[in-house]
Amino acid sequence: MKRTLALILLLTTSTILCSSPDSIKTILEVGPEGKGNSKAAEAWSKITENADVNSLIMVFDAMDKAGPIASNWLRSAAEVIAKNLEKSGQTAIDPLGEYFMDQSHPPKARRFAFELIKKNEPITAKALIPGLLNDPSPELRRDAISSLIDQASSLKKEGKKSAAILIYRQALNAAVEENQVNPISKSLKELGIEVDLPKHFGFLMRWNVIGPFDNTERKGFETIFPPEEEINFSAKYKGKEKETEWVSLASSDSLGKIDLNKPFGMLKETTAYAYTEFESKSSRTAELRLGCKNAWKIWVNGKYIFGRDEYHRGQRIDQYKLNIQLKEGKNTILVKACQNEQTEEWTVQWEFQLRVCDESGVAILASNRKPTPQSEKQSRRPRRSKS
Amino acid sequence: MKTILNLLAALSISSSAQLLNAEDWLQFRGTDHRGIADSSKLPTSISSEKNIAWKKSLPGRGLSSPIIIGNRIFLTAASTTDQSRLHIMCFNSDDGTTLWSREFWATGRTICHEKTCVAAPTPASDGKRIYALYSSNDLICLDLNGNLKWMRALMKDYPNASNSLGLASSPIIVSNTLIVQVENDSESFTAGIDLNKGTNIWKFPRTKKANWTSPIKVEKNVVAIQGSEGVSAIEASSGRILWSYGEGAATIPSSVASKDGSTIFIPSNGITALKPRNDNNTPEILWQEPQLRPGTASPIIVDDKIFIINRAGVLNAAKKDTGERLWRLRLEGPFSGSPVASKGHIYIASERKGLLQSVDLSGKEGKITGTIELGETILGTPAIANDSLYVRSDHHLWKISNPK
């Protein structure tokens, strides 16, 4: 009886091991608009049925090659396999630990592996947290940074200023998310240390801008104005109502906002362009992260990246994440920002905030970056006339 | 005990087709999108002491409604600081035990106004599968056991189909087609999605204007989709536009149809009662009442009356056939969710303090018959099934029912 059961188990296992690579391949082939969904569902069933620890790791490994949709299919399979293994008393801590420790794997997948470890070995997971301070996964960093913030806060309350500053600064060096960076910055300010937030985030603070061009009836978004065809700082062009030319604009805003109302006045139904150059130390992939509540388009090195014609629906740091390729040396960045016709108080903003960073959100600073402009004493924006 | 309950739940899952009945609450505002469950025996005078059957902790945030199939409750949520973790959970309605839960990574943008969240749309079900949509435009289909059947990353397919304030339209199933309405200022569309494959059966562009309303079923194969320009009726199976009403409509409260589908009540010029014609020509306007102007909550039809809750939190009753206003009753608002009703009573929870209120509609005027202060912000619409009311906040799901 035992031998029969062992044979069945062996056959089942070998079937799984044979079918899993094919099934994973099927899932990796899911495409846009639901392409491959039906086959992927069959593959998902095969992968999750009677799966063992090896299958779980095979699924995790496959995430290295998976796009966002296939990653979710695989994540879901891994979640079900892990739950089934847990029910049957099997542990996958060792291989999951190996996977988690290897920073070449996708950050989200490593975070997921960490959560599975944490579920089964919470004490081990807690011990691992301090070592995650500079992890490529922002989610993994987060816990380590929170821990440092707590420690620094305690030291601050105890009046140990120097120690608190050191710990806060260590936390800041690792922090990439606004909701951790800002409280750290605020605490450091209270302790007498000013943080250069634009530099920390990698916001681009110095631009050449030109405008206003027309955006009546929101048609300016699609209209090709001269800066889309040439960048010539000595040229003058016909603007919305008068001749327009390039002017320099430097921002001192702590979150890198480039306020186009400042050079052009608080206008409506207008379009402007902002241009800057970014010297990269090497050829590399990077992310442009934009926050903007006006319609916008972006070009890098003359290549159109993305655009969006939504107005005044909300803005936040890192609202849009755009993958770009930086070349070594000079890179050009052109932003088009359109203001619409709305007159409500909350539609005054004509601005954007743009930073260059890696996939984790860590700033990539240009080799030609100049010191962050100092804030103007009188930076308050005049109120719009109600007439 | 828990094991037995789980076993029973598992057995019921395997025979789900038999369990699908009129008591199920399959989509936003119920199976027919009218918010009515007249076969349920809900408490008519609610109180915290008597009627809270159980309270279940939830992860992250969410304002989607629960949907209920047999004795299982399905609910969505979104967690982590940027709400990029999407949850689908299944609970046993008897005691709130978690039967299973699944997580996914959002593939689209998750920015939202703080008052809404990524898990805003209510999932839909055909009794065999769950179809969950999020503001990130991830559309996920699971069977009732939590097995993944298909996925769509609609923001990958249509990169500008997003709203920086958040999307909230709930998908619905009509004529074996999942109707998904994604409308915003940049890339708007409505699509009919194949229930089995997750592919588009049809898709057409819509006006580029932010819109948070949900489609409603009008007849067997007819869906009404509402937007800033008005309302269009479409054939669910083909996407063919049958008729349009072009006098504009609200972009937050959704329309409601009469039980027989002969009249549609649209949040337009107050409320506009519209009678579709058999030949699909421009529908007839039966009445318009500018004073019946709903706030965020969608209107509801109970018997021969229409009820709307205005921005001030006042419940307005009017005759369904004429729009003649009958009475007003100030509730304790404000309200973001919509009312539901059973046996001549309306139930709705307020945003602040989560004050669940029951209102008796049977008299000459409305009367508040009971309240339960849930103590948390409630932004969603309750669901009714199994003689119970289910209400959710970001942090909890409550079952409200008569004491056993």
Side-chain angles (χ1 to χ4, degrees), chain B residues 348-365:
Chain B
I348 188 163
S350 70
E351 277 179 42
R352 289 180 204 141
K353 298 188 286 185
L355 191 72
L356 181 65
Q357 297 156 70
S358 59
V359 183
D360 183 357
L361 309 172
S362 60
K364 283 188 177 176
E365 296 205 335

Side-chain angles (χ1 to χ4, degrees), chain A residues 136-195:
Chain A
S137 160
E139 275 193 278
L140 285 171
R141 280 171 184 240
R142 193 171 175 80
D143 293 340
I145 295 163
S146 292
S147 173
L148 284 181
I149 292 172
D150 291 344
Q151 289 175 44
S153 177
S154 298
L155 290 166
K156 190 179 160 199
K157 279 179 194 163
E158 291 168 20
K160 296 175 180 170
K161 185 180 170 184
S162 300
I165 288 171
L166 272 177
I167 304 292
Y168 273 129
R169 285 182 64 180
Q170 192 181 14
L172 181 70
N173 285 343
V176 290
E177 294 176 345
E178 186 193 10
N179 53 18
Q180 286 195 317
V181 171
N182 283 351
I184 296 169
S185 169
K186 192 180 165 204
S187 297
L188 280 169
K189 192 173 184 179
E190 287 164 3
L191 292 166
I193 305 290
E194 284 286 343
V195 176

Side-chain angles (χ1 to χ4, degrees), chain A residues 31-35 37-38 40-41 44-45 48 63 68-69 71-73 75-77 79-80 83 108-109 111-112 115 139 142 177 179 218 292 306-316 319-321, chain B residues 80-82 85 100-107 109-112 138 146-153 156-165 184-187 196-200 203 208-210 212:
Chain A
E33 297 195 308
K35 185 187 164 199
N37 264 337
S38 299
W44 188 94
S45 292
T48 53
M63 290 190 211
I69 306 170
S71 288
N72 257 328
W73 277 94
R75 187 202 194 282
S76 174
E79 183 179 32
V80 170
K83 282 181 181 169
K108 282 183 179 177
R111 170 73 196 191
F112 181 36
E115 286 170 10
E139 275 193 278
R142 193 171 175 80
E177 294 176 345
N179 53 18
R218 307 188 184 192
C292 186
F306 197 65
R308 178 164 173 78
D309 53 343
E310 180 187 61
Y311 292 89
H312 303 296
R313 297 296 187 189
Q315 176 179 343
R316 79 171 182 205
Q319 185 174 357
Y320 303 99
K321 297 176 182 176
Chain B
T80 70
T81 52
D82 61 355
R85 193 79 62 88
W100 52 259
S101 66
R102 298 285 180 266
E103 292 180 17
F104 297 89
W105 292 311
T107 63
R109 291 180 284 277
T110 56
I111 183 174
C112 284
D138 288 292
N147 296 312
L148 182 58
K149 291 300 167 186
W150 53 259
M151 286 193 67
R152 290 289 299 273
K156 295 287 177 199
D157 293 339
Y158 317 112
N160 261 319
S162 70
N163 183 336
S164 296
L165 291 175
N184 56 87
D185 293 345
S186 193
E187 189 175 2
N196 293 316
K197 298 175 189 167
T199 49
N200 295 351
K203 173 178 175 280
K208 287 169 60 162
K209 183 87 178 171
W212 296 270

Side-chain angles (χ1 to χ4, degrees), chain B residues 134-310:
Chain B
Y134 300 82
S135 178
S136 58
N137 253 337
D138 288 292
L139 179 58
I140 298 164
C141 172
L142 303 172
D143 70 16
L144 301 189
N145 292 319
N147 296 312
L148 182 58
K149 291 300 167 186
W150 53 259
M151 286 193 67
R152 290 289 299 273
L154 294 173
M155 218 180 290
K156 295 287 177 199
D157 293 339
Y158 317 112
N160 261 319
S162 70
N163 183 336
S164 296
L165 291 175
L167 294 163
S169 179
S170 299
I172 65 167
I173 297 167
V174 177
S175 201
N176 288 319
T177 307
L178 184 71
I179 313 294
V180 176
Q181 194 177 352
V182 178
E183 300 191 6
N184 56 87
D185 293 345
S186 193
E187 189 175 2
S188 290
F189 66 88
T190 296
I193 309 275
D194 185 299
L195 293 181
N196 293 316
K197 298 175 189 167
T199 49
N200 295 351
I201 301 169
W202 50 264
K203 173 178 175 280
F204 59 82
R206 291 272 293 163
T207 303
K208 287 169 60 162
K209 183 87 178 171
N211 180 15
W212 296 270
T213 65
S214 297
I216 62 164
K217 180 183 174 182
V218 179
E219 293 177 48
K220 194 177 176 185
N221 190 22
V222 180
V223 172
I225 51 175
Q226 178 184 326
S228 58
E229 290 182 343
V231 168
S232 293
I234 55 172
E235 191 175 65
S237 54
S238 69
R240 185 168 64 96
I241 296 176
L242 303 173
W243 54 259
S244 290
Y245 159 82
E247 289 192 24
T251 53
I252 296 179
S254 301
S255 301
V256 64
S258 60
K259 195 172 184 179
D260 61 2
S262 65
T263 311
I264 305 173
F265 302 88
I266 302 166
S268 166
N269 301 313
I271 291 287
T272 296
L274 215 60
K275 184 181 179 185
R277 298 179 199 270
N278 291 334
D279 59 3
N280 288 332
N281 278 326
T282 308
E284 178 188 353
I285 294 175
L286 297 176
W287 56 263
Q288 289 184 316
E289 176 48 70
Q291 298 298 314
L292 291 174
R293 193 171 292 277
T296 302
S298 301
I300 189 167
I301 307 289
V302 181
D303 300 328
D304 59 350
K305 298 183 188 74
I306 180 169
F307 296 90
I308 70 106
I309 298 172
N310 66 18

Side-chain angles (χ1 to χ4, degrees), chain A residues 209-214 225-227 230 232-247 263-264 267 270-271:
Chain A
V209 296
I210 188 167
F213 295 97
D214 195 14
F225 295 107
E230 63 160 4
N232 179 358
F233 291 135
S234 57
K236 294 181 179 179
Y237 305 107
K238 185 185 170 211
K240 184 178 180 183
E241 287 172 352
K242 57 183 181 181
E243 199 172 60
T244 183
E245 59 187 326
W246 289 96
V247 294
F264 303 125
L267 303 174
T270 48
T271 297

Side-chain angles (χ1 to χ4, degrees), chain A residues 172-310:
Chain A
L172 181 70
N173 285 343
V176 290
E177 294 176 345
E178 186 193 10
N179 53 18
Q180 286 195 317
V181 171
N182 283 351
I184 296 169
S185 169
K186 192 180 165 204
S187 297
L188 280 169
K189 192 173 184 179
E190 287 164 3
L191 292 166
I193 305 290
E194 284 286 343
V195 176
D196 186 346
L197 285 175
K199 187 178 178 186
H200 178 85
F201 282 115
F203 281 116
L204 305 181
M205 307 299 282
R206 295 173 188 272
W207 296 79
N208 286 292
V209 296
I210 188 167
F213 295 97
D214 195 14
N215 189 32
T216 305
E217 297 176 351
R218 307 188 184 192
K219 289 178 180 169
F221 179 75
E222 292 297 351
T223 304
I224 298 171
F225 295 107
E228 291 182 38
E229 296 180 313
E230 63 160 4
I231 300 296
N232 179 358
F233 291 135
S234 57
K236 294 181 179 179
Y237 305 107
K238 185 185 170 211
K240 184 178 180 183
E241 287 172 352
K242 57 183 181 181
E243 199 172 60
T244 183
E245 59 187 326
W246 289 96
V247 294
S248 61
L249 176 63
S251 169
S252 58
D253 183 79
S254 61
L255 290 176
K257 288 181 180 172
I258 307 300
D259 186 353
L260 296 167
N261 284 317
K262 284 186 176 169
F264 303 125
M266 298 174 78
L267 303 174
K268 286 288 173 182
E269 300 192 293
T270 48
T271 297
Y273 292 87
Y275 173 90
T276 194
E277 291 176 356
F278 184 98
E279 294 278 346
S280 176
K281 289 167 192 161
S282 61
S283 171
R284 59 170 299 170
T285 57
E287 281 189 7
L288 275 188
R289 294 194 179 182
L290 175 79
C292 186
K293 64 186 301 216
N294 307 93
W296 57 272
K297 288 184 179 180
I298 287 184
W299 295 259
V300 175
N301 293 325
K303 182 187 169 192
Y304 176 67
I305 304 296
F306 197 65
R308 178 164 173 78
D309 53 343
E310 180 187 61

